[in-house]
Amino acid sequence: GLIAVTKAAETLAAASGMTLPAAADSLVTALNQMGAGAGEAERYSNVMAAGAKVGASEVAESSEALKQFATTAKTVGVSIEGANAAIQGLAKAGIKGSEAGNALRNVLLKLETDADKTLRPSVSGLTGAIEALGKKNLDTAALVKMFGLENINAANAMIANAQTVKEFEAAMTGTQTAYEQAAINSDNYAGATKRMQTALGVLRIELGEKLNPVLAEGAKLVADVAVEIVEGSDRVDTAVK
């Protein structure tokens, strides 16, 4: 559970150059938004690292995007690989973070509710739906009517990058990028130091609940002794006077 997620976050941090807390936040956000359990942490870590490697959206930016549309993606059957591929497709057009997430949520919902079933991600898959949309050769007016003016740039970007998104999804499927990149980045003194710091962080997580009561008692003891010293000093001062 917690240890598996922590270890996956450690790998993601080493692969991406993020701090462990930031990597853990991004990883847990993705897991929660997609309704995945701790057992999927390793897979998600690799997918997010692979996305950042092949595309232009960094892990933190992809996490922000997932906050906005991952629930919708899950509902229409889009995997974490497909979701990240879509994020990277929009990043290629300069649309990132929560802006990308909002746009993808709206585009997915419009496609999923279209009368043409070939446009529905739940039927054709995300890349299949986008390819089917591209084959319609809709003009700008038709796309605006379909997706709304606020989503037209995202829709055009998805159509233009349909093949790239498909390639991104393939590159992220079954990948071990996080572990491979982490090994490369950690093969130096800084990496060794970071691993040591991370190991200490994991140790704190594992032993924190056991140590906290002990530390609390220790702190209380020190405080009591300090009070006795101060009061004793006051008594001495009074006696001298």
Side-chain angles (χ1 to χ4, degrees):
L2 177 59
I3 301 304
V5 174
T6 302
K7 289 180 178 178
E10 174 193 357
T11 302
L12 182 59
S16 63
M18 303 171 74
T19 63
L20 178 57
D25 181 68
S26 293
L27 179 59
V28 171
T29 293
L31 288 168
N32 287 341
Q33 293 296 320
M34 294 294 289
E40 293 290 310
E42 181 179 327
R43 171 191 168 198
Y44 275 55
S45 173
N46 278 305
V47 169
M48 296 180 80
K53 182 178 180 181
V54 301
S57 176
E58 298 297 333
V59 172
E61 294 171 323
S62 296
S63 176
E64 285 301 310
L66 285 170
K67 286 180 183 179
Q68 305 303 322
F69 91 105
T71 302
T72 301
K74 178 177 179 289
T75 300
V76 300
V78 175
S79 66
I80 185 62
E81 291 83 1
N84 266 275
I87 290 170
Q88 297 301 339
L90 288 194
K92 190 176 180 181
I95 307 172
K96 300 181 181 181
S98 58
E99 181 185 358
N102 284 325
L104 283 169
R105 179 193 62 216
N106 295 337
V107 168
L108 282 178
L109 288 173
K110 291 292 184 181
L111 290 173
E112 187 62 25
T113 55
D114 197 270
D116 185 348
K117 291 185 178 181
T118 65
L119 298 183
R120 299 179 186 178
S122 62
V123 175
S124 304
L126 178 58
T127 54
I130 295 299
E131 287 176 339
L133 178 64
K135 290 176 181 178
K136 288 181 175 293
N137 293 313
L138 300 177
D139 60 19
T140 300
L143 287 172
V144 168
K145 183 177 180 180
M146 184 175 187
F147 296 105
L149 187 61
E150 68 277 14
N151 302 308
I152 186 65
N153 289 336
N156 276 325
M158 289 297 289
I159 293 170
N161 296 317
Q163 183 57 37
T164 301
V165 171
K166 193 172 186 177
E167 292 168 1
F168 282 163
E169 184 174 1
M172 295 180 210
T173 301
T175 180
Q176 291 292 312
T177 297
Y179 287 92
E180 294 165 358
Q181 197 62 43
I184 294 171
N185 293 347
S186 297
D187 190 21
N188 52 50
Y189 175 78
T193 301
K194 191 166 186 177
R195 286 199 303 275
M196 180 184 71
Q197 293 171 337
T198 299
L200 291 174
V202 173
L203 183 62
R204 284 196 296 272
I205 291 172
E206 291 177 324
L207 301 181
E209 291 184 0
K210 295 179 181 178
L211 291 178
N212 280 341
V214 176
L215 294 175
E217 285 298 319
K220 183 176 182 298
L221 177 61
V222 171
D224 290 343
V225 171
V227 169
E228 286 296 326
I229 291 173
V230 171
E231 291 179 347
S233 177
D234 288 342
R235 286 193 293 271
V236 169
D237 287 344
T238 300
V240 171
K241 291 176 181 178

